[in-house]
């Protein structure tokens, strides 16, 4: 379903996007949803006179933590252990999945409830557990829709953003019974009715499941505390009811101290849901009476990203998805085209760094942007996404024809006389330039005319007239 | 003050009229503008497509050509942004001496509207253009150079001109250099929405400070026979009652 492996063998971004853009229902849903959140975000951000300072502080705190990551990770481990929790280190997805599966098996249970978490999607935990005979139940409303629909998430924060109300009603009506309590008779597509159906379905699950798996938005090294921000309260049910709690958290989620959290509790809700404050913020430190706690610290390519001086800023990301909501490419291509649990602008710089650029899809992601800069402007931790995109393009493999074309253009631009000769050649044959260009350039003339080529370039005009004096 | 015109390769080759308009306009405002003939291209296409070595070579050439001038004026927001934002990054990977040359160069490079408003201190350039015009701010002018309302302040002072606001003005038109051919479906979809917004204004002319974006939007406008002309900001500002 939503695992890391299911994206294997997907075509490159341009093809996925070209297919998605044809789907008018999808385009309508996405446009409506992204523009609504975009507007809300803009107005709550504008309310804060010190937003620029908060943003700078968020960037600085994250950079400081990343520079001293080892120290803070060890501090985190020590604090969690002292509070009765168990800390596990996972170098990659396989190791993390193994650890979680073994921990669940040790409890004797065959099902877990899940708090919405990007890290566990990144490693394909649900599928890995399935292979061991353990069923993972998503409890976030949107993740539930995705899971029941046997679908992939298409947005970080609103995974079912590509679905509208009537589609959701259909999924609930058809699929809920297969996973537990069936949808009530006569279910309508009223938001209230849908939420009630989900509530009844999930409530049974919360009360009967003994193991929960979560991620975390932040980890505080000073005290060993984990922090989850959410809107629905489902997360809190998962975090508090079960007898065993396993949290899988990327190593870059650390903050040094409680004081630092103040900055992020302002940056994150306003950037993500466009709310001044999210409804539920849960924090926990180690084990509590009646609950065993395990923390799995996940690397899975992150230390490799950290080694790249330009690319490492992607690790500042707090997964708010503001960059998705303002991105004109995401708005039209949808999340699935990016072939990763991280779609949109952040996905375009994170996925190729975490997975490498070996596949056609991953190598095409840095090009899934016009470099318009809307993402950078919206990012609450000032990740210069266009800078990283350009940096990754410099490391990508290029098609042969493009390489030759670029080399030829470079050769022409290296000498003004060559440029002038090329321009004159173009001017002489301008009448013969076809309205539809051949080869890769047909991509231009399929929907656009090419401009008329002038008989005389600017430089020839300047030379002939002495800058207009003659 | 020695002012050099950086025409940019796209304008030089495809839109010489824009360059001529800049020359006319700056002369009218009392500037003696020179055209250093050794100039070619800023290297943006190479760098943004993933060829930093070629881009750096062109950046070095640019700095050599324009080093002696007090100001360099480019009728292109994205080429000016290229120099300002990307040259320092490219230079960091080379030698400290080149990085120093770039640091000296950067504050001297201006987009046309910036040069007019900030350096020359004018917003009324004495232009006359009795038409209904809408303005597309272009991403690199807006979010790269932070030109703000400079271009529209200039347009508002043009006699006879009726400036109509463009819905969704800040949204990218979908050009993005080689993006337009690497991701043609998304590029066309973005441009389609931009064109719809342009035609909804009832403007006769779509104006911008970047001919690359205009070439993309204009190519779609003519393909759709939308009846809206494209014009670079310089061409509107250069027009007077006498020259019409
Ligand atoms: S890159 Fe920035 S805007 Fe995008 S999800 Fe991460 S923190 Fe949010």
């Amino acid at each position: 379903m939503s695992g890391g492996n299911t994206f294997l063998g997907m075509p490159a971004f341009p093809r996925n996007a070209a297919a998605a853009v044809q789907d008018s229902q999808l385009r309508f849903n996405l446009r409506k949803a992204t523009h609504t959140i975009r507007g809300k975000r803009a107005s709550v951000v504008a309310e804060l006179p010190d937003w620029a300072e908060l943003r700078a502080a968020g960037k600085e705190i994250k950079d400081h933590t990343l520079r001293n990551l080892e120290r803070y990770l060890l501090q985190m481990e020590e604090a969690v252990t002292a509070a009765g929790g168990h800390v596990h280190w996972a170098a990659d997805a396989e190791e993390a999945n193994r650890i979680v599966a073994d921990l669940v098996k040790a409890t004797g249970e065959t099902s877990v409830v899940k708090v919405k978490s990007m890290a566990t999607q990144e490693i394909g935990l649900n599928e890995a557990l399935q292979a061991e005979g353990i069923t993972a139940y998503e409890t976030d409303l949107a993740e539930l829709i995705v899971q029941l629909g046997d679908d992939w998430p298409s947005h970080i924060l609103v995974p079912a953003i590509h679905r509208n109300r009537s589609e959701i009603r259909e999924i609930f009506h058809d699929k809920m019974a297969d996973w537990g309590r069936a949808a009530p008779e006569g279910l309508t597509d009223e938001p209230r009715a849908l939420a009630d159906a989900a509530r009844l379905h999930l409530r049974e699950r919360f009360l009967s499941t003994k193991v929960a798996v979560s991620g975390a938005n932040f980890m505080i090294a000073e005290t060993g505390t984990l922090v989850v921000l959410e809107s629905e309260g489902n997360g809190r049910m998962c975090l508090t009811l079960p007898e065993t709690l396993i949290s899988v958290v990327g190593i870059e989620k650390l903050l040094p101290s409680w004081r630092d959290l103040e900055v992020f509790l302002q940056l994150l809700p306003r950037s993500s849901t466009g709310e001044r404050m999210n409804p539920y913020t849960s924090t926990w430190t180690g084990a509590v009476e009646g609950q065993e706690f395990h923390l799995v610290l996940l690397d899975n390519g992150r230390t490799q990203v950290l080694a790249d001086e330009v690319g490492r800023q992607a690790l500042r990301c707090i997964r708010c998805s503001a960059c998705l909501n303002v991105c004109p490419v995401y708005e039209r291509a949808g999340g699935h085209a990016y072939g990763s649990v991280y779609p949109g602008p952040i996905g375009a710089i994170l996925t190729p760094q975490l997975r490498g650029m070996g596949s056609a899809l991953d190598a095409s992601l840095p090009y899934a942007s016009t470099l318009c800069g809307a993402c950078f402007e919206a990012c609450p931790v000032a990740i210069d996404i266009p800078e990283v995109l350009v940096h990754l393009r410099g490391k990508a493999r290029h098609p042969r024809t493009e390489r030759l074309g670029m080399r030829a253009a470079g050769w022409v631009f290296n000498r003004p006389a060559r440029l002038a000769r090329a321009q004159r050649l173009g001017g002489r044959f301008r009448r013969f330039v076809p309205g539809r260009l051949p080869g890769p350039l047909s991509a231009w003339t399929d929907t656009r005319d090419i401009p008329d080529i002038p008989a005389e370039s600017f430089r020839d005009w300047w030379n002939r007239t002495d800058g207009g004096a003659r | 003050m020695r002012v050099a015109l950086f025409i940019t390769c796209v304008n030089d080759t495809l839109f010489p009229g824009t360059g001529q308009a800049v020359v006319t306009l700056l002369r009218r405002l009392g500037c003696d503008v020179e055209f250093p003939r050794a100039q070619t291209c800023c290297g943006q296409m190479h760098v943004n497509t993933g060829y930093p070595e070629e881009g750096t070579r062109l950046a070095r050439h640019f700095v050599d050509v324009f080093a002696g001038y007090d100001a360099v004026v480019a009728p292109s927001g994205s080429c000016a942004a290229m120099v300002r934002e990307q040259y320092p990054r490219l230079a960091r990977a080379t030698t400290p001496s080149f990085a120093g040359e770039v640091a000296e160069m950067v504050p001297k490079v201006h987009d046309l509207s910036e040069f007019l408003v900030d350096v020359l201190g004018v917003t009324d350039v004495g232009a006359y253009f009795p038409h209904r015009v809408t303005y597309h701010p272009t991403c690199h002018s807006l979010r790269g150079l932070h030109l703000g309302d400079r271009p529209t302040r200039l347009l508002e002072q043009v006699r006879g001109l009726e400036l109509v606001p463009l819905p969704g003005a800040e949204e990218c038109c979908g050009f993005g250099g080689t993006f337009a051919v690497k991701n043609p479906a998304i590029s066309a979809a973005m441009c389609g929405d931009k064109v719809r917004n342009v035609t909804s204004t009832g403007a006769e002319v779509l104006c911008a400070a970047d001919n690359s974006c205009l070439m993309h939007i204009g190519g779609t406008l003519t393909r759709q026979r939308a009846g809206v002309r494209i014009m670079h900001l310089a061409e509107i500002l250069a027009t007077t009652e006498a020259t019409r």
Side-chain angles (χ1 to χ4, degrees):
Chain A
M1 193 194 61
S2 60
N5 297 330
T6 37
F7 297 114
L8 264 182
M10 253 177 91
F13 180 84
R15 245 180 74 193
N16 305 332
V21 85
Q22 298 296 330
D23 183 341
S24 53
Q25 178 70 57
L26 176 70
R27 257 183 93 178
F28 176 83
N29 294 357
L30 274 171
R31 187 182 158 81
K32 193 161 169 231
T34 54
H35 281 245
T36 308
I37 313 180
R38 202 185 284 186
K40 277 171 73 181
R41 176 201 161 270
S43 64
V44 295
V45 163
E47 276 174 9
L48 292 187
D50 60 346
W51 183 257
E53 285 83 2
L54 279 168
R55 188 171 180 249
K59 170 179 190 267
E60 191 36 56
I61 293 166
K62 280 283 185 182
D63 278 346
H64 165 84
T65 315
L66 291 168
R67 272 199 301 276
N68 301 280
L69 194 57
E70 189 177 333
R71 167 155 69 93
Y72 288 121
L73 279 170
L74 293 174
Q75 197 185 353
M76 180 76 198
E77 180 183 36
E78 205 176 305
V80 170
T81 312
H86 305 274
V87 177
H88 312 261
W89 299 79
D92 55 22
E94 208 187 319
E95 194 176 357
N97 288 333
R98 175 84 269 137
I99 293 168
V100 177
D102 286 347
L103 288 170
V104 178
K105 279 194 200 156
T107 66
E109 295 295 318
T110 55
S111 64
V112 302
V113 280
K114 282 190 69 203
V115 185
K116 176 170 167 34
S117 131
M118 297 306 298
T120 59
Q121 283 181 14
E122 176 190 319
I123 61 175
L125 179 68
N126 291 10
E127 296 71 20
L129 290 179
Q130 195 68 62
E132 306 266 350
I134 301 160
T135 311
Y137 293 97
E138 295 291 347
T139 65
D140 173 83
L141 177 57
E143 293 290 1
L144 176 71
I145 295 164
V146 168
Q147 184 170 48
L148 294 178
D150 197 15
D151 195 0
W152 296 351
S154 69
H155 189 281
I156 292 176
L157 190 79
V158 204
I161 197 167
H162 56 292
R163 299 289 197 188
N164 63 19
R165 268 162 42 189
S166 65
E167 290 175 292
I168 294 167
R169 191 208 81 93
E170 213 137 291
I171 292 169
F172 279 9
H173 178 268
D174 296 348
K175 294 288 177 58
M176 262 185 178
D178 301 346
W179 288 79
R181 187 185 171 118
E185 283 297 314
L187 178 66
T188 69
D189 66 0
E190 284 304 306
R192 222 205 134 79
L194 294 174
D196 278 345
R199 188 170 288 129
L200 290 170
H201 179 84
L202 289 170
R203 192 60 54 119
E204 260 187 26
R205 190 65 60 206
F206 291 131
L207 294 174
S208 60
T209 311
K210 298 202 164 59
V211 183
V213 176
S214 85
N217 294 99
F218 304 102
M219 300 189 282
I220 297 169
E222 180 183 48
T223 54
T225 305
L226 277 80
V227 184
V228 162
L229 279 70
E230 49 147 351
S231 299
E232 297 167 1
N234 296 345
R236 182 164 296 173
M237 298 277 245
C238 290
L239 296 170
T240 50
L241 287 174
E243 291 161 12
T244 303
L245 173 60
I246 306 166
S247 300
V248 182
V249 187
I251 52 175
E252 83 286 15
K253 295 280 155 222
L254 270 176
L255 297 177
S257 70
W258 270 97
R259 279 197 57 168
D260 302 318
L261 194 59
E262 179 242 333
V263 171
F264 293 94
L265 289 185
Q266 295 184 72
L267 289 175
L268 183 51
R270 286 179 197 257
S271 300
S272 57
T273 48
E275 294 168 301
R276 296 190 180 91
M277 191 73 233
N278 52 295
Y280 295 87
T281 301
S282 302
T283 68
W284 70 100
T285 308
V288 289
E289 215 193 301
Q291 192 185 59
E292 202 177 305
F293 173 61
H294 296 271
L295 171 61
V296 182
L297 292 168
L298 177 72
D299 184 334
N300 205 29
R302 285 160 175 76
T303 46
Q304 182 189 307
V305 180
L306 200 55
D308 185 320
E309 273 180 47
V310 179
R312 68 169 63 136
Q313 53 185 310
L315 295 179
R316 291 204 293 261
C317 176
I318 56 173
R319 312 278 188 263
C320 72
S321 60
C323 58
L324 278 65
N325 297 330
V326 298
C327 177
V329 176
Y330 173 85
E331 179 192 327
R332 290 164 182 89
H336 294 157
Y338 294 81
S340 156
V341 296
Y342 303 114
I346 181 60
I349 61 168
L350 197 55
T351 308
Q353 294 199 82
L354 290 176
R355 296 203 298 225
M357 290 191 275
S359 73
L361 171 66
D362 294 343
S364 71
L365 290 176
Y367 292 92
S369 164
T370 61
L371 306 178
C372 82
C375 49
F376 176 33
E377 199 176 58
C379 178
V381 286
I383 300 173
D384 192 337
I385 294 175
E387 181 190 9
V388 182
L389 287 167
V390 169
H391 170 70
L392 294 174
R393 290 175 186 189
K395 304 210 287 186
R397 266 183 298 116
H398 303 118
R400 210 177 100 85
T401 43
E402 181 191 292
R403 252 183 2 245
L404 293 175
M406 286 291 165
R407 204 175 303 153
W411 186 82
V412 169
F413 287 143
N414 269 331
R415 296 273 187 285
R418 287 180 196 152
L419 175 57
R421 239 176 291 139
Q423 288 167 335
R424 267 172 234 142
L425 206 65
R428 189 155 332 130
F429 291 104
R430 66 206 187 101
R431 306 242 171 273
F432 303 106
V433 176
R436 307 275 164 150
L437 295 174
L441 293 177
S442 65
W444 180 274
T445 48
D446 280 346
T447 58
R448 290 157 286 220
D449 291 335
I450 41 173
D452 292 332
I453 298 174
E456 187 179 48
S457 68
F458 178 82
R459 69 181 61 231
D460 277 352
W461 169 81
W462 182 281
N463 290 339
R464 182 173 57 78
T465 64
D466 196 14
R470 273 201 297 263
Chain B
M1 185 166 61
R2 286 189 73 201
V3 180
L5 169 63
F6 171 46
I7 182 70
T8 81
C9 62
V10 167
N11 287 324
D12 184 8
T13 309
L14 295 173
F15 303 98
T18 296
Q20 289 158 11
V22 176
V23 174
T24 306
L25 175 65
L26 292 182
R27 287 212 180 117
R28 197 168 75 218
L29 296 171
C31 266
D32 186 18
V33 54
E34 295 176 44
F35 177 72
R37 292 176 198 203
Q39 64 178 281
T40 58
C41 164
C42 67
Q44 181 175 200
M45 177 182 74
H46 282 99
V47 172
N48 284 355
T49 313
Y51 299 81
E53 292 85 19
E54 280 87 346
T56 306
R57 210 173 302 138
L58 292 169
R60 282 184 185 278
H61 182 71
F62 180 97
V63 171
D64 284 346
V65 170
F66 290 102
Y69 294 90
D70 303 309
V72 181
V73 183
S76 162
S78 74
C79 301
M82 168 73 192
V83 175
R84 205 175 291 171
E85 291 189 308
Q86 306 226 57
Y87 276 21
R89 284 180 206 150
L90 292 173
R92 225 177 293 143
T94 62
T95 58
S97 81
F98 182 52
E101 287 171 49
V102 165
E104 232 173 89
M105 180 95 257
V106 162
K108 296 195 282 188
V109 177
H110 307 279
D111 159 80
L112 176 67
S113 65
E114 230 173 15
F115 182 72
L116 294 173
V117 176
D118 298 354
V119 181
L120 298 184
V122 289
T123 47
D124 184 350
V125 297
Y128 173 74
F129 191 76
H131 296 282
R132 202 175 153 89
V133 176
T134 192
Y135 184 78
H136 170 53
T138 78
C139 303
H140 291 166
S141 302
L142 196 68
R143 288 177 281 264
L145 295 177
H146 304 283
L147 289 187
D149 62 356
R150 287 179 187 82
T152 45
R153 270 158 66 201
L154 288 159
L155 286 171
E156 275 158 8
Q157 297 298 321
V158 174
R159 268 167 288 288
L161 187 147
E162 184 196 349
L163 186 63
V164 283
L166 176 65
E170 301 194 350
E171 282 173 37
C172 178
C173 70
F175 171 61
T178 44
F179 178 85
V181 286
K182 280 179 175 279
N183 277 287
I186 299 296
S187 174
M190 288 166 70
C191 198
D193 291 339
K194 181 59 77 182
V195 160
R196 205 164 312 123
N197 282 327
V198 169
T199 49
S200 79
T201 63
E204 303 157 66
V205 176
L206 168 68
C207 175
D210 219 311
N211 274 329
S212 310
C213 312
L214 278 179
M215 172 173 77
H216 165 71
I217 309 171
T220 308
L221 283 167
T222 56
R223 178 65 60 87
Q224 297 185 0
R225 301 183 204 287
V228 183
R229 265 192 302 153
I230 55 164
M231 264 178 104
H232 191 281
L233 178 67
E235 293 168 32
I236 291 181
L237 297 181
T239 310
T240 61
E241 255 153 303
T243 57
R244 288 192 79 245

